[in-house]
Amino acid sequence: MVNRLQNSLEELKSILEQYPEKDGEEYLRFCDNQILRINPEIKIRWARIYGSRWAHLLGNFDDIALKPLRIKLNNNYGILIDNSNSLPPADLQQLIAILKECFEDGPLSGTRDS
């Protein structure tokens, strides 16, 4: 199980790095689908960051935890994981590192720049 999840996280990193255009919410949906493909039990929500306010964009809104794990990916986007304890700590840290790396390339504006 652990090896399968580790391999899946490496595959996730490769897939996200190859995505052609990181153009806001379309990219978020792609990332969400890929994460749920490798770990369908995870309860993750995506948010747009406006200063100290996080506006939820997509994800599992059925079962919202009172104190989710809140991770800022860049100045514009973050994720909230409602059941972060469902992943082994090392895998959770690897997932967070992968997402931060994918989102550090620049702000996702939500619109395509020509």
Side-chain angles (χ1 to χ4, degrees):
M1 172 72 177
V2 173
N3 286 338
R4 186 183 68 76
L5 188 54
Q6 280 294 324
N7 290 340
S8 295
L9 287 170
E10 289 300 320
E11 179 186 347
L12 172 69
K13 181 178 181 180
S14 175
I15 289 169
L16 296 183
E17 286 174 347
Q18 293 175 20
Y19 193 80
E21 293 184 45
K22 298 176 182 175
D23 63 346
E25 290 183 37
E26 182 180 319
Y27 183 61
L28 297 181
R29 282 187 189 85
F30 178 77
C31 292
D32 190 61
N33 288 334
Q34 294 302 315
I35 292 168
L36 291 174
R37 182 182 59 79
I38 65 168
N39 189 349
E41 300 85 33
I42 196 164
K43 295 180 181 175
I44 189 169
R45 293 176 282 135
W46 297 83
R48 175 77 190 227
I49 300 172
Y50 299 98
S52 62
R53 188 174 77 79
W54 287 38
H56 296 226
L57 294 172
L58 65 117
N60 182 351
F61 294 98
D62 294 335
D63 227 4
I64 297 176
L66 293 176
K67 293 192 179 224
L69 177 61
R70 189 171 161 169
I71 301 127
K72 183 177 179 180
L73 300 175
N74 64 20
N75 288 332
N76 295 318
Y77 293 97
I79 58 170
L80 299 102
I81 303 175
D82 291 322
N83 62 340
S84 59
N85 58 351
S86 69
L87 284 173
D91 294 334
L92 177 62
Q93 291 307 313
Q94 185 178 2
L95 175 62
I96 292 168
I98 289 167
L99 290 174
K100 283 187 173 186
E101 186 177 315
C102 288
F103 281 79
E104 77 181 353
D105 293 336
L108 300 177
S109 65
T111 59
R112 294 177 191 258
D113 295 329
S114 300

